[in-house]
Every structure is written in structure tokens, then in C-alpha cells.
Amino acid sequence: MEMFNRFEVFQMDVLKEVGNIGAGNAATALSQLLNRPIDMGVPTVQMLPFEEVAEKVGGGERIVVTVFLRVEGEAPGNLFFMMTPEAAKMLLNRLAGFDLKEGLAFTDMEQSALSEIGNILAGSYLSSLADFTKLSMYPTVPGLAIDMAGAILSYGLLQFGEMGDSALLIDTSFFEGEDQVEGQFFLIPDPPSFAKIFESLGVPLSHD
């Protein structure tokens, strides 16, 4: 068990480094897009079973704003970036200067901006993972959904086919002065992809 735990720690150390570099790349990309400094906090990274993804955002019935896309290439999978509607509006206000309005409604321009922000984040993290693994990984055009977390994940199953058993969760924080906006980034590789990712990093998937 102790040896297995050491392997788990080694895996998480690698994934945390990917998360840190991805956050730095995302902050740089957003800063260039908006032409002003954007700070991102050090992300927290963990692995969890797919069935716990919805619970991490407040439960399957929690309304979330989600940018979702398919990851294609040598380690295919699915990617979801989830925020509460309040966090999404705060993000739009702090990053892009949109007026804050209550409620779940988002204008077409706001939805477009959220998709672009999600696309930048996805591209930054995937580029970091691809650089580490030397595997080809690239995102498809993102979609945007505002619905219950459980419904969005179910749609993902229908849209993309069977999900992998495990998800990589990266909690991301945006800082602008004293303001903080949090979002959660879930990478759910297809069943064979996790082994391929860790193998390419020289990290055993288990102690066997």
C-alpha cells in the first residue's frame, strides 16, 4: 500500500505541474486577449471518479455555466469547464468589462465571450499536457451550456460516447485585485487515454 501511495503521489506531482504551467499559460493568453494583466491563482489538482464530477460543482441539480469540448489526438477525451452563473458573470465583468446583471440570462455577446475564455483555458491546459507528454492533443470548437450539471454531463455522454472512469479536476482561480472568481476544469480522458498519458510521462499507472 505504501508503494502504491508513492506512485499515486508521483502521478499527482506530475499533474499538478501540468496544472501550474497551464494556469500560467492561460493567464498569459487572457492578458494578451484583454491587453491587461490577469492573475491566476495556483490551481488545486485531484483525481476523482467520473460519478463524483457533478457533486464537485454542488450536485447534479446545480445550475452551472459550462464550456465543453472534445479532445482529439493521441489521447482523446472530453473536457468541461464549469462555473456558477454568478461566477461566470463576475468573470465577464472583471475580465471583459461586461455589466453585472442578476439571473441566468446571458446575451449572445456574453456567451461568445465565455466560449472564447473557455477555449483559451482549454487550449492552455491541453498545450501544457501535450508538451509534457509529447502526445498530440487538441480541442474541438467549444460548446456552451447553461443547465443542471447532471444534465450537461448526460448530454456529454450522448454527444461524445462513453466517458472514462476517472476525471482530472483542476480548480482554477482568477484574481483581479481583491476579487476572486473560481471555476472547475474537468478533463475526462477516454478509457485507454490515462494509461497512454502516464506511460508517455514515464509514470506507472499502478505499482504492478
Side-chain angles (χ1 to χ4, degrees):
M1 179 65 69
E2 182 180 349
M3 180 178 292
F4 180 69
N5 287 339
R6 284 206 303 271
F7 281 121
E8 283 189 324
V9 169
F10 189 20
Q11 291 171 9
M12 290 310 303
D13 283 346
V14 171
L15 294 176
K16 285 176 182 176
E17 187 63 20
V18 170
N20 288 336
I21 293 175
N25 290 343
T28 298
L30 287 173
S31 295
Q32 291 173 347
L33 176 70
L34 301 172
N35 198 30
R36 60 194 175 94
I38 300 296
D39 293 326
M40 294 182 70
V42 176
T44 59
V45 180
Q46 67 181 103
M47 297 281 295
L48 70 160
F50 170 72
E51 57 267 22
E52 293 182 14
V53 169
E55 294 306 313
K56 280 293 181 180
V57 294
E61 296 184 355
R62 179 70 184 267
I63 299 294
V64 289
V65 176
T66 303
V67 176
F68 62 93
L69 51 86
R70 177 75 180 163
V71 178
E72 297 183 343
E74 295 178 281
N78 303 298
L79 188 149
F80 299 83
F81 179 62
M82 294 185 173
M83 297 174 286
T84 65
E86 295 79 13
K89 287 180 181 290
M90 184 72 73
L91 183 65
L92 288 170
N93 176 260
R94 297 294 182 251
L95 294 188
F98 287 90
D99 291 334
L100 280 174
K101 294 184 177 130
E102 294 184 1
L104 299 177
F106 289 83
T107 67
D108 289 345
M109 187 174 292
E110 289 171 338
Q111 292 183 40
S112 178
L114 285 170
S115 291
E116 182 62 22
I117 290 169
N119 199 30
I120 288 172
L121 291 171
S124 298
Y125 284 114
L126 287 178
S127 293
S128 300
L129 189 56
D131 287 345
F132 259 73
T133 60
K134 308 302 181 188
L135 296 171
S136 171
M137 300 174 69
Y138 51 91
T140 62
V141 176
L144 181 73
I146 303 169
D147 204 339
M148 293 185 296
I152 290 172
L153 292 169
S154 295
Y155 174 78
L157 284 170
L158 291 173
Q159 183 84 354
F160 302 127
E162 180 184 2
M163 293 281 188
D165 294 332
S166 300
L168 172 64
L169 164 62
I170 301 175
D171 272 316
T172 303
S173 298
F174 301 83
F175 294 87
E176 278 271 315
E178 297 182 354
D179 297 316
Q180 179 176 337
V181 179
E182 296 183 351
Q184 291 168 311
F185 175 96
F186 297 94
L187 175 63
I188 307 172
D190 289 356
S193 294
F194 254 129
K196 187 177 292 187
I197 289 170
F198 282 118
E199 180 183 354
S200 69
L201 292 168
V203 181
L205 195 58
S206 74
H207 67 289
D208 294 333

